[in-house]
Amino acid sequence: MKPLSINALGRLASSRSWTCSNCRTRLPVAYVKTTQRSFSRRYATGSSGYSRRSPKPPRTRITVLTAAATAATGAGVLAFTDDIKYGYEGTERAGRVATALAICINDYRTSLNSRDQTEDPKEQDTILKACHKRCAERTLKVLEKNGGIFIKLGQHLSAMTYLLPREWTDTFIPLQDKCPVSSFESIEAMFRADTGEELKDYFSEFSEQPIGAASLAQVHLATVKESGQRVAVKVQHPGLAQWAPLDLALTRFTFSTLKRFFPEYDLEWLSSEMDVSLPQELDFQLEAANAIRTQKYFAQLPELPLVIPDVLWAKKRILVMANESGHRLDDLEYLDSNHIDRDEVSATLARIFNEMIFGKNAPLHCDPHGGNLAIRKAARRRRGGANFEIIIYDHGLYRDIPESLQRSYAKMWLAVIDGDMPAMKRYAHEVAGITDEQFPLFASAITGRDFTVVRSSILQTRSEDEKKSMGDALQEGLLSNLVTMLGQVPRIILLILKTNDLTRSLDENLHTRQGPVRSFMILARYCARTVLREQVEEIRARPGSLLWPSNALRFMAAWMSFLRVELKLEAFELWLAVKRMVGLRSLDYGTTVSL
């Protein structure tokens, strides 16, 4: 067997600008998936005027939909398989999607019409909730029967709790635990086909039962025959690639049809992202290349207690890695019993992901949910003093942030923390083309806070009242605006937003003593360093050396500006440390920390 070498994988990582994917596999401690993003104002439960139904579509549109569904069924099968034995199953897959789509659209049309004919708000709410539930249950059956990509899509939708009605997200929750498991015989056959060898030729032991299964892959523990090393073997479901083109086409058909009937809720960017991401996600050689690149990058930062499992070798559908195990980050009992400081875990997460966002030529892992990270007690303390190590798995969803975007993004965050509203708006426009009208919604999306809090101080911990007010605002008409905005901003911004959301959620689950304050302080430090780096590079580009009088003055001014921020942050962190020592919590701050 001649697996792809580590050096070749390293070259592969450096030769491509980015690897992106919306989906991630749910694997052991570190392979569980979530995602986020959008749906609709019209379908938000509530009696807002924004939820009023637009004029009833002509009956001819239903006829056209039916004809299109029939055409999609037949054409999909003919386009994506020549083998007659797969024709029947392909027809079934496409037919399930088209039928459920037509029934759900008609159900919503009828329900919205009934809703508009009653003046009782409770009755309106009941009608719409019942419609949500019926359509969600129909869709769930289709997702479960079709499996594969559809299971992953359902897992994504179940995580969109602040954008989809509860009836949809709650109905899809079982998909998180209903991932298919491929038979051991099919894994053996795939290994033979992809490597030309048997499992027993390379492994002295290979567990027949996977330790974790996901919509696209599953993981088995094994032992390498030659070295005796214990490894984790990630294998793709053998039949997945066969249906991927058809399933992606059906996903595009679904979202484009929804847009045709409800144009104000354009979700086609979701299917577009899947078109880009899924083919890359199904190539485990790209995932291995990302892991190797990240491992090399953080090897230069030994003070960060980060572990990336070593990659032994990879094929397109097989990935063999060192077995690095740990506990979930939200396993508070494990943290406390091993004297691992939750505040230090939170701070370390902030440093790792801010390094990925603001580090020069740093790779950004865009899927840091709880299932893709683990923690374990370190055998010995690292140089940074941590008595734990954080393990990151599942390296399929990566992106490189352009340096110009890094710099504008850093300046925007410094303005947010400093409470400088004009600067916030200016850099939000540079970062994502955000208009003044869109700015309040964008500011809330990027900070996860109500805009009134953004205008005062984001250093406060989110209260239940704030969470409720944000949810009510979405139900009262902002969902459509949010969907529109998310469809307009650059895709890299969506991935950064997703990373922010997931790391913020991880931090909240740790229940730290200081709330969000320290994480924002660490963010501010990385932003200040990014701005300093830009200023130094601009000075170096000027005629003369740094010792040239005019250049030296500029350099001193830039350094003093950075030092001013750094000293304030150091003093603030020292104050937080003292408060932790005496057992006080740092939860509420009414003013910003001026930088």
Side-chain angles (χ1 to χ4, degrees):
M1 174 170 55
K2 295 181 179 180
L4 191 65
S5 69
I6 298 299
N7 290 335
L9 288 169
R11 289 195 296 273
L12 179 60
S14 61
S15 66
R16 39 187 275 285
S17 61
W18 59 279
T19 298
C20 165
S21 73
N22 230 4
C23 322
R24 278 305 80 227
T25 49
R26 294 178 64 250
L27 300 173
V29 172
Y31 292 89
V32 187
K33 175 71 194 143
T34 75
T35 335
Q36 316 191 153
R37 235 93 278 168
S38 52
F39 198 58
S40 79
R41 172 178 67 204
R42 172 180 309 219
Y43 303 113
T45 303
S47 57
S48 165
Y50 287 97
S51 296
R52 292 293 179 182
R53 182 174 59 88
S54 56
K56 182 192 301 184
R59 183 172 297 276
T60 54
R61 296 184 71 181
I62 300 297
T63 305
V64 169
L65 173 62
T66 305
T70 305
T73 303
V77 174
L78 292 175
F80 294 106
T81 179
D82 294 325
D83 193 333
I84 192 64
K85 71 179 181 178
Y86 296 128
Y88 177 71
E89 186 176 347
T91 302
E92 277 195 319
R93 296 173 76 83
R96 290 185 196 112
V97 173
T99 301
L101 180 61
I103 293 174
C104 287
I105 288 176
N106 186 63
D107 195 352
Y108 270 109
R109 182 181 64 83
T110 304
S111 298
L112 289 171
N113 186 50
S114 298
R115 183 175 184 259
D116 288 345
Q117 292 176 1
T118 180
E119 298 298 326
D120 184 359
K122 290 185 178 180
E123 181 64 20
Q124 290 179 341
D125 200 46
T126 299
I127 290 172
L128 193 52
K129 282 186 174 182
C131 181
H132 287 328
K133 188 65 175 177
R134 288 193 303 271
C135 292
E137 289 176 345
R138 290 188 197 105
T139 305
L140 177 64
K141 292 178 182 178
V142 173
L143 299 181
E144 288 178 332
K145 283 184 175 293
N146 281 6
I149 293 172
F150 292 100
I151 295 288
K152 178 166 288 296
L153 178 62
Q155 291 170 349
H156 294 175
L157 296 175
S158 72
M160 297 180 184
T161 52
Y162 63 96
L163 290 174
L164 284 176
R166 287 287 300 272
E167 292 77 18
W168 281 88
T169 57
D170 289 353
T171 300
F172 287 168
I173 285 176
L175 292 175
Q176 298 290 349
D177 301 313
K178 285 189 177 180
C179 292
V181 176
S182 296
S183 68
F184 180 67
E185 292 73 24
S186 67
I187 298 300
E188 283 185 307
M190 184 180 72
F191 190 90
R192 186 184 309 117
D194 288 9
T195 67
E197 297 186 11
E198 302 290 338
L199 283 172
K200 63 182 180 181
D201 295 332
Y202 189 79
F203 302 107
S204 60
E205 178 190 358
F206 191 96
S207 61
E208 294 192 10
Q209 296 298 320
I211 59 171
S215 56
L216 303 185
Q218 60 193 48
V219 169
H220 295 258
L221 290 179
T223 303
V224 178
K225 179 183 290 187
E226 184 177 332
S227 64
Q229 182 179 0
R230 195 69 169 158
V231 294
V233 184
K234 182 177 177 180
V235 290
Q236 194 176 117
H237 293 304
L240 188 66
Q242 169 193 338
W243 297 115
L246 174 59
D247 291 349
L248 284 173
L250 290 171
T251 303
R252 288 193 298 273
F253 172 73
T254 298
F255 286 117
S256 64
T257 302
L258 289 173
K259 179 184 177 181
R260 188 177 305 119
F261 279 84
F262 311 111
E264 65 270 42
Y265 307 109
D266 182 3
L267 299 174
E268 283 190 300
W269 58 271
L270 285 173
S271 58
S272 297
E273 179 63 26
M274 288 189 72
D275 283 337
V276 172
S277 67
L278 193 67
Q280 298 181 20
E281 182 181 2
L282 295 179
D283 188 347
F284 290 175
Q285 290 173 341
L286 294 181
E287 180 176 341
N290 286 331
I292 293 168
R293 180 186 170 200
T294 305
Q295 189 179 57
K296 288 181 178 179
Y297 181 89
F298 280 94
Q300 306 170 63
L301 302 167
E303 66 275 12
L304 291 177
L306 177 64
V307 174
I308 306 294
D310 292 334
V311 174
L312 276 68
W313 57 267
K315 291 286 188 178
K316 190 166 184 177
R317 298 190 292 176
I318 305 168
L319 177 59
V320 181
M321 308 161 286
N323 180 34
E324 302 284 2
S325 59
H327 292 255
R328 288 183 61 93
L329 282 171
D330 56 6
D331 188 346
L332 302 184
E333 183 179 350
Y334 174 80
L335 299 183
D336 295 343
S337 63
N338 284 276
H339 308 290
I340 296 174
D341 191 329
R342 301 181 195 179
D343 296 279
E344 291 307 314
V345 174
S346 171
T348 300
L349 282 173
R351 293 188 183 101
I352 289 172
F353 286 100
N354 279 301
E355 181 64 43
M356 288 183 171
I357 292 173
F358 297 107
K360 190 174 181 62
N361 300 319
L364 174 63
H365 187 302
C366 295
D367 196 22
H369 62 77
N372 282 345
L373 294 102
I375 190 169
R376 67 188 181 193
K377 189 173 179 64
R380 58 184 178 83
R381 286 185 178 269
R382 293 209 176 197
R383 194 174 77 186
N387 67 336
F388 59 86
E389 294 175 325
I390 290 177
I391 311 166
I392 298 183
Y393 310 89
D394 210 349
H395 300 272
L397 183 55
Y398 268 72
R399 187 73 181 262
D400 289 306
I401 304 178
E403 192 168 49
S404 59
L405 179 61
Q406 274 184 331
R407 291 169 175 176
S408 294
Y409 188 66
K411 294 169 186 175
M412 185 193 72
W413 266 111
L414 286 175
V416 169
I417 295 173
D418 205 23
D420 186 345
M421 197 64 61
M424 279 190 238
K425 293 181 179 180
R426 180 169 70 253
Y427 292 117
H429 181 72
E430 285 188 17
V431 165
I434 298 301
T435 65
D436 286 352
E437 184 182 34
Q438 294 172 320
F439 176 73
L441 187 59
F442 180 77
S444 292
I446 204 166
T447 61
R449 308 303 300 271
D450 187 272
F451 185 60
T452 57
V453 176
V454 176
R455 286 187 298 182
S456 57
S457 173
I458 60 170
L459 300 182
Q460 310 172 49
T461 292
R462 284 201 302 173
S463 65
E464 290 301 319
D465 287 343
E466 182 187 350
K467 294 177 184 178
K468 184 178 184 302
S469 69
M470 292 182 70
D472 291 345
L474 287 174
Q475 287 196 1
E476 290 172 8
L478 289 182
L479 273 175
S480 178
N481 295 338
L482 182 57
V483 170
T484 301
M485 185 188 72
L486 292 177
Q488 293 174 350
V489 301
R491 185 172 293 159
I492 180 63
I493 296 299
L494 292 179
L495 294 175
I496 294 175
L497 284 173
K498 177 184 173 187
T499 301
N500 286 343
D501 287 342
L502 293 174
T503 51
R504 188 182 302 119
S505 175
L506 287 171
D507 188 69
E508 288 183 353
N509 290 339
L510 284 170
H511 301 291
T512 59
R513 291 185 295 271
Q514 73 238 344
V517 180
R518 194 178 182 192
S519 295
F520 280 123
M521 295 300 97
I522 293 170
L523 167 64
R525 177 172 283 113
Y526 276 90
C527 291
R529 291 175 183 174
T530 301
V531 172
L532 175 64
R533 188 170 69 233
E534 177 187 15
Q535 293 172 332
V536 171
E537 289 182 8
E538 289 175 349
I539 294 170
R540 289 184 183 278
R542 293 174 56 83
S545 69
L546 281 178
L547 298 179
W548 194 262
S550 60
N551 290 345
L553 287 174
R554 286 185 172 87
F555 177 78
M556 287 299 297
W559 177 252
M560 291 302 295
S561 178
F562 168 75
L563 194 61
R564 176 178 63 85
V565 174
E566 191 74 9
L567 289 175
K568 285 188 176 182
L569 296 179
E570 286 287 352
F572 200 73
E573 283 216 48
L574 178 61
W575 179 61
L576 290 176
V578 171
K579 293 191 73 174
R580 289 198 304 273
M581 289 176 61
V582 298
L584 296 177
R585 295 177 61 86
S586 305
L587 293 179
D588 296 297
Y589 296 86
T591 59
T592 57
V593 177
S594 178
L595 300 178

